Amino acid sequence: MTAPAVPQRLAAPEPGWTDTVDVVVIGSGIAGLTAALKARELGTVLVVTKDVVASGSTQWAQGGIAAALSPEDSPEEHLQDTLVAGAGLCDPDAVRALVTEGPDAVRDLIELGARFDTQANGEISLTREGGHHRNRIAHSGGDATGAEIERALVAAVKRAPDIRLIEHALVIDLLRAEDGAVAGVTLHVMGEGQLDGVGAIRSRVVILASGGLGQLYAATTNPSVSTGDGMALALRAGAKVRDLEFVQFHPTVLWLGKSAKGQQPLVSEAVRGEGAFLVDHEGKRFMQGQHELADLAPRDIVAKAITRQMLAAGKDHVYLDARHFGDEKWRVRFPTILASCRSHGIDPVRELIPVAPACHYSSGGVWTDLNGQTSVPGLYACGEVACTGVHGANRLASNSLLEGLVFAHRIATHLAKGLPELREPAVDTRVPGLVDADVVPELQRVMTVGAGVIRSASGLAEAGAVVAKLIEQPAGEPGTPGWEATNLVTVASALIAAGTVREESRGSHWREDHPDRDDQHWSGNLDLTLLADGERARPGATFVPQSKENRQDG
C-alpha cells in the first residue's frame, strides 16, 4: 500500500507582522509551561497556545502523576514496570532519566504551588494504577490531578512578567534557515488586536509541546484542540517522527451511545486501582486469566480484552462495577467522575458504568534525544507530541505528566549551555496546499474502523484509499478549520504508513492478521519522514532495529 500524499506546507496568507524572541514554546500544558518557566532564565520567552492557556490535555488528567516518592518504592522498580508496559521498545536510558529525576521534579512542582492529596500524617497519598506493582500515583482533588497541576503552572506563568503569552493562536509552519535549522514560526492569531491574523515570529529555538492527535478518531478523551498540529508541523519541516503506530486506547471511557462523537468522559484507571472491576453484560468478570494483574493489567491488555469481549458478544460496550465503593468513597476519591457519570444519567454508587475503549494517548511522536532535541537543529519537543523513548509500544499509566515535566527540565538544562544564533529565514519554495475542513468526520470514521484498536493490512489499505480521496476534495479559503484538517490528514497518512509496515502485534498496535509479537523481525522502531512527491509529500518509513545493548525482554 502507498500512503496518501499530503501538502508540503500549509497554504496561508503572507505574514502581516513580525516579532522576535529567543524561545518560542508551542503549547500550554505541563510540558509547555514547565519549559517556559525554566527557559525564562535563558532569554525572552513566548508561549503560543491554540485556545486559552488552560485548555490543553493536562487539565483532563484524572489519575495522577507517577513517581517513586514512597520509602517502600524505588526508581528501579518504577523503571521495571515501565519497561514491561512498553513491550520491549522503551529506551532504557530515557526511562532511567524519567524515574530517577521524576521524584525531584514532582517536588519542584509542589514548591511551585501544586497541592496533592495527603494522608493524616501529612505525607502524599499514593495509589496504584494498571501496570504498577507499587503505590506511586500522586493525585489531587481525588481525580482532578491535571486540573490542579495546570492551575499551579498557569498561576506561575502569570506571575512571570518576562514570559509573553499569545492565546487563540495556531502555529502554521516552521521558518527555516538555508541549512534547514529553525529560524522561527509562522502563526495565525484568531482575534482582533495588534497581532491579528498571520504573522511571523523569529526565534533561536522552538519547543514543541502541542499535545497529541486524539481528534484523529471518532471517540477520544482528548480535547478539541488535539489535532496533531505539532507532529504535522514537524513532519513538514523534515523532522523524524517515531513509532506513530502506537496509539493507546484507554480501556474505560464512559460509553454514551453509538452516536456520541468527539471528546468523551474518561473513567480513570485509578477507579480500578481502588478495586473496581470489569464485567460483561451478564455480570461476569472477564479479566481473570488475561494477565497476572487482571483488571489492573497494562492498558493495551485491558483494551484488547474489552474489544474481544465486545466482538464476541456483539455488544458495543462492557461495564465497570464500582458499586461496592459506597457513596462516601465516590464523593471523596472520585468527585469529578461521579459528577460526570451523574450528568449523563448514570449513578455509579448504585449502577454499573457502561465503558468502551477510546483514543487516549500517542506513545509515538516527534523523535527526540535525551535532551529533547529533534532531528531539526533548534527544534525541541516534550510531552505527548514527542517520542522520547520513555513509553515504547504502550505508555504506563500516569507516566505522561511525569514525562512532560522531566523532559521540559532536560530541555532547559541543555539550552542553558548556550542558545543557538538567530537565523535568517530562507525563502520557502515548497508548494503550499490545504485540505477541505469538511473531511474531518469521514476521516475520523475511517481511522476508527481501519486504524483503531484492531488493524489489518486490508483495513489499513482501505483507510489509506479513503484518506487519499479526502485530500483531493477542493479546499476552501485558508483558516483554522482547514489547517487543522490538513494537519490531521498528514498525521493520518504517517500513522497508516507505520501501521502497515509493522506486521506484528505489540503493545497498543494490534494487527489481527499478525496477532503475535515478533521480536525476531520487529524488535525496533519505525522512523517516518515526509519525502517530496511532486507538489506533495509522502511519508516514508524506515525500520531501526534495537541495538543489542538496549534490547529488552519486556
Side-chain angles (χ1 to χ4, degrees), residues 126-130 132 135 137 268-277 295-296 320 325 329 333-334:
L126 300 172
T127 189
R128 193 176 305 196
E129 293 184 359
H132 293 271
N135 289 353
I137 315 299
S268 170
E269 196 155 353
V271 177
R272 282 177 285 130
E274 294 287 347
F277 51 86
D295 292 88
L296 278 177
L320 189 64
F325 284 6
K329 184 168 184 175
R333 181 66 179 89
F334 300 111

Side-chain angles (χ1 to χ4, degrees), residues 480-499:
T480 299
W483 292 326
E484 288 183 330
T486 309
N487 287 337
L488 282 170
V489 299
T490 299
V491 175
S493 181
L495 195 158
I496 289 167

Side-chain angles (χ1 to χ4, degrees), residues 509-529:
H509 173 66
W510 185 16
R511 284 282 297 265
E512 60 180 349
D513 51 345
H514 296 280
D516 299 319
R517 173 171 155 175
D518 183 357
D519 283 335
Q520 182 178 352
H521 299 100
W522 293 108
S523 183
N525 307 101
L526 277 175
D527 288 345
L528 295 140
T529 53

Side-chain angles (χ1 to χ4, degrees), residues 41-346:
E41 303 168 7
L42 312 176
T44 54
V45 177
L46 171 67
V47 175
V48 180
T49 188
K50 204 161 70 167
D51 202 323
V52 297
V53 67
S55 66
S57 293
T58 294
Q59 67 163 327
W60 299 102
Q62 294 176 346
I65 185 166
L69 297 167
S70 168
E72 299 175 356
D73 196 7
S74 69
E76 188 64 31
E77 289 176 279
H78 190 183
L79 181 143
Q80 290 303 320
D81 285 347
T82 300
L83 294 182
V84 170
L89 292 191
C90 298
D91 178 343
D93 292 334
V95 179
R96 191 167 297 280
L98 179 85
V99 300
T100 56
E101 298 169 22
D104 283 343
V106 173
R107 294 183 187 103
D108 285 348
L109 198 56
I110 294 170
E111 289 184 11
L112 197 66
R115 299 184 293 262
F116 292 96
D117 296 340
T118 57
Q119 304 173 58
N121 62 4
E123 295 294 321
I124 293 177
S125 179
L126 300 172
T127 189
R128 193 176 305 196
E129 293 184 359
H132 293 271
H133 286 77
R134 292 281 188 186
N135 289 353
R136 65 169 65 100
I137 315 299
H139 50 84
S140 180
D143 58 359
T145 311
E148 169 58 18
I149 290 173
E150 186 73 4
R151 180 206 62 77
L153 288 169
V154 169
V157 166
K158 289 186 175 180
R159 290 194 302 267
D162 47 354
I163 296 178
R164 291 175 53 198
L165 177 65
I166 299 180
E167 298 179 311
H168 304 290
L170 174 77
V171 173
I172 298 171
D173 270 312
L174 281 183
L175 295 172
R176 294 185 299 168
E178 288 287 352
D179 61 359
V182 162
V185 297
T186 56
L187 72 165
H188 179 260
V189 182
M190 298 166 271
E192 297 181 0
Q194 184 179 0
L195 300 182
D196 185 25
V198 174
I201 305 283
R202 294 186 60 194
S203 67
R204 302 172 187 270
V205 167
V206 172
I207 301 175
L208 281 178
S210 53
L213 46 69
Q215 293 298 321
L216 198 55
Y217 293 89
T220 179
T221 61
N222 290 200
S224 60
V225 293
S226 297
T227 51
D229 304 322
M231 295 177 192
L233 174 148
L235 279 165
R236 289 193 296 269
K240 180 169 63 179
V241 172
R242 172 166 285 187
D243 292 345
L244 209 56
E245 67 272 27
F246 295 118
V247 178
Q248 187 178 82
F249 286 76
H250 198 288
T252 55
V253 174
L254 189 62
W255 183 79
L256 300 178
K258 295 180 180 179
S259 60
K261 305 292 182 187
Q263 186 178 11
Q264 307 294 300
L266 176 65
V267 181
S268 170
E269 196 155 353
V271 177
R272 282 177 285 130
E274 294 287 347
F277 51 86
L278 291 157
V279 298
D280 63 17
H281 283 254
E282 296 178 355
K284 296 179 181 178
R285 298 183 65 170
F286 57 85
M287 283 305 301
Q288 284 84 354
Q290 302 279 353
H291 188 274
E292 63 169 354
L293 295 176
D295 292 88
L296 278 177
R299 287 174 177 173
D300 64 308
I301 304 293
V302 182
K304 290 171 187 175
I306 291 174
T307 302
R308 289 190 187 103
Q309 186 68 35
M310 287 160 47
L311 289 171
K315 305 290 186 180
D316 41 25
H317 64 283
V318 295
Y319 292 100
L320 189 64
D321 191 348
R323 293 173 294 182
H324 56 287
F325 284 6
D327 183 71
E328 183 178 358
K329 184 168 184 175
W330 267 111
R331 285 189 295 103
V332 174
R333 181 66 179 89
F334 300 111
T336 306
I337 299 171
L338 177 63
S340 177
C341 288
R342 285 178 170 170
S343 72
H344 290 97
I346 300 156

